[in-house]
Amino acid sequence: MTELPRIVSVDDHVIEPAHLFETWLPAKYRDKGPKPFTAGIGELAYVGGKYRFTTDPAGQVTDWWEYEGLLFPYKRIIAAVGFSRDEMTLDGITREEMRRGCWDPKARLADMDLNHVEASLCFPTFPRFCGQTFAEAQDKEVALACVRAYNDWMVEEWCGDSGGRLIPLCLIPLWDIDLAVAEIRRNADRGVRAVTFSEIPTYLGLPSIHSGYWDPFFAACEETGTVVNMHIGSSSQMPAASPDAPPAVQASLSFNNAMASMMDFLFSGVLVKFPRLKLAYSEGQMGWIPYALERADDVWEEHRAWGGVRDLIPEPPSTYYYRQIFCCFFRDKHGIASIETVGIDNATFETDYPHVDSTWPHTKEVALDHVKGLDDETVYKLMRGNAIRMLGLDLDRDR
């Protein structure tokens, strides 16, 4: 390998600018929409997979959103790039203290250039990973307007002047399947090919993927070529063990929901019913996948009669994984050692900018350390080729 191909990162994050809803929300909804403000924060803790905080006028100055009386503070660990590891704490933070690439698209492109990254798909922060903030709102008319405003900002402002380097990732109104389908089609008509969805919708009080409720959504995604992206934590809870365990336990178990979600899909019949639907698991890593597939296939072979899938899943579950599911990684040498089983055509790469896990600005070195010894075609697929194919990007057409 003479040179590492420039990376297409399938999991990064954006900190929403303070002007987002004032600019993009229709005027009649602005009084009830999200409002940015700056104020002191008190205690901030992460307990049992949930953030807990208090306010304190004399506390550390922090940027917040207020929406329907609820408060959302920005935390240093979600805008951690530029800080040392020992400074990546649960303290509050303002946009002025963040590296500008967290919220400014031109600065983001410059930081991508510093990091050997050509293109990037970014998940939301204030709306949460699949728009739970709006799904939980009381006034659903305003919430729908907020979802559309976020998507308009994402497509036209965040991605608009990037020359295709910032890839739009849109929300749906999770609470209404017809509105969700309409939003998929509205965004697909302007070139969007990625939507964020919950890894485990039932954790959000929504119907399960087994119920058939989501079939019109999956059908619309299949028809438009829209990839369903499921980020760890998009079910509003992280895996936990003891309720008083330190946050390091949840951080170490973060892949667990992705594994549970993938099993759910493999045995749901969704991938049988929609054979061109593409699923992407974001920030779940991949070292666990070989055994998960082995176990799924064993269960299908040995337990399908009583397990409820004899007539639902006609082929071994791994068949549908290799055909329709993508994983991603950024620190996972065990996954690389098993890449043939993980799937050379199924694995993609991410940088997780600007979160505490991010490899910025050393992503090139981290990637090289992982792929040394792999052939050039495999390296190309892992660093960009699979992401280009997954998202239908207008890159490398000459290959």
Side-chain angles (χ1 to χ4, degrees):
M1 182 176 60
T2 56
E3 176 63 28
L4 187 78
R6 288 187 78 192
I7 292 161
V8 175
S9 175
V10 300
D11 172 40
D12 295 313
H13 301 266
V14 60
I15 303 297
E16 296 79 18
H19 69 260
L20 191 160
F21 295 101
E22 182 180 357
T23 301
W24 292 96
L25 198 60
K28 70 176 183 175
Y29 297 118
R30 287 178 195 158
D31 285 346
K32 294 184 176 180
K35 307 257 186 334
F37 69 98
T38 303
I41 194 169
E43 283 189 43
L44 182 56
Y46 188 72
V47 181
K50 304 279 187 181
Y51 288 107
R52 297 180 185 174
F53 59 87
T54 59
T55 58
D56 182 356
Q60 182 176 4
V61 177
T62 300
D63 276 347
W64 304 69
W65 289 98
E66 182 276 327
Y67 179 48
E68 289 197 341
L70 299 175
L71 302 179
F72 179 95
Y74 282 124
K75 301 159 279 286
R76 188 178 289 187
I77 61 168
I78 61 175
V81 291
F83 292 97
S84 72
R85 286 290 164 194
D86 289 334
E87 295 174 313
M88 294 180 185
T89 63
L90 280 175
D91 293 334
I93 193 171
T94 64
R95 291 179 185 82
E96 287 303 309
E97 294 171 306
M98 299 174 191
R99 190 169 179 86
R100 192 176 180 91
C102 293
W103 51 269
D104 179 277
K106 288 186 172 58
R108 175 63 66 93
L109 293 174
D111 277 355
M112 288 161 59
D113 288 336
L114 288 172
N115 204 33
H116 201 67
V117 173
E118 180 170 3
S120 168
L121 184 78
C122 292
F123 283 82
T125 302
F126 162 65
R128 308 200 331 254
F129 290 145
C130 66
Q132 301 101 301
T133 295
F134 303 126
E136 294 167 3
Q138 296 299 311
D139 189 327
K140 288 299 193 287
E141 182 180 351
V142 176
L144 176 61
C146 288
V147 167
R148 290 173 173 166
Y150 178 90
N151 290 340
D152 292 345
W153 165 81
M154 166 62 63
V155 173
E156 299 181 39
E157 183 177 326
W158 179 252
C159 300
D161 294 330
S162 70
R165 296 185 63 193
L166 294 172
I167 306 159
L169 175 65
C170 286
L171 306 174
I172 55 168
L174 289 162
W175 61 92
D176 187 302
I177 191 64
D178 294 330
L179 293 174
V181 168
E183 193 62 12
I184 288 292
R185 297 194 186 285
R186 184 177 83 95
N187 292 314
D189 285 346
R190 51 183 174 172
V192 176
R193 294 294 178 266
V195 64
T196 179
F197 186 64
S198 177
E199 59 199 354
I200 308 174
T202 54
Y203 285 2
L204 304 180
L206 298 168
S208 84
I209 62 168
H210 304 273
S211 67
Y213 174 84
W214 296 103
D215 283 3
F217 166 69
F218 295 136
C221 290
E222 181 182 56
E223 180 186 333
T224 59
T226 301
V227 183
V228 178
N229 296 263
M230 294 172 284
H231 196 283
I232 56 167
S234 57
S235 53
S236 292
Q237 67 182 65
M238 295 293 282
S242 304
D244 54 350
V249 173
Q250 283 95 47
S252 300
L253 289 173
S254 60
F255 70 92
N256 217 324
N257 280 359
M259 181 167 60
S261 175
M262 193 174 84
M263 288 296 185
D264 223 17
F265 270 99
L266 290 178
F267 286 111
S268 68
V270 168
L271 301 179
V272 179
K273 193 181 299 184
F274 304 104
R276 292 179 292 110
L277 179 68
K278 291 183 284 188
L279 307 180
Y281 284 99
S282 308
E283 207 175 319
Q285 306 295 346
M286 62 185 187
W288 52 271
I289 289 175
Y291 175 70
L293 294 178
E294 179 183 344
R295 178 59 180 164
D297 284 355
D298 277 350
V299 167
W300 179 84
E301 183 66 39
E302 306 294 341
H303 303 275
R304 62 179 178 269
W306 74 270
V309 295
R310 180 180 57 196
D311 302 319
L312 184 64
I313 311 298
E315 298 179 79
S318 62
T319 306
Y320 307 102
Y321 166 81
Y322 289 118
R323 187 176 75 187
Q324 295 174 253
I325 297 179
F326 293 85
C327 59
C328 71
F329 73 102
F330 54 99
R331 289 192 189 92
D332 192 342
K333 291 186 177 180
H334 186 74
I336 286 291
S338 307
I339 195 61
E340 295 283 347
T341 308
V342 168
I344 289 171
D345 294 316
N346 299 81
T348 59
F349 198 71
E350 61 166 294
T351 80
D352 200 31
Y353 182 109
H355 282 189
V356 65
D357 249 335
S358 179
T359 52
W360 187 93
H362 307 296
T363 299
K364 184 177 181 180
E365 292 88 339
V366 171
L368 284 169
D369 187 42
H370 277 67
V371 302
K372 59 189 176 187
L374 298 180
D375 64 87
D376 286 355
E377 184 62 19
T378 298
V379 172
Y380 168 79
K381 287 181 176 184
L382 299 181
M383 294 296 105
R384 62 187 284 121
N386 291 339
I388 291 169
R389 179 170 52 87
M390 178 180 88
L391 294 163
L393 302 180
D394 191 21
L395 296 172
D396 297 357
R397 294 291 185 188
D398 56 332
R399 285 186 66 96

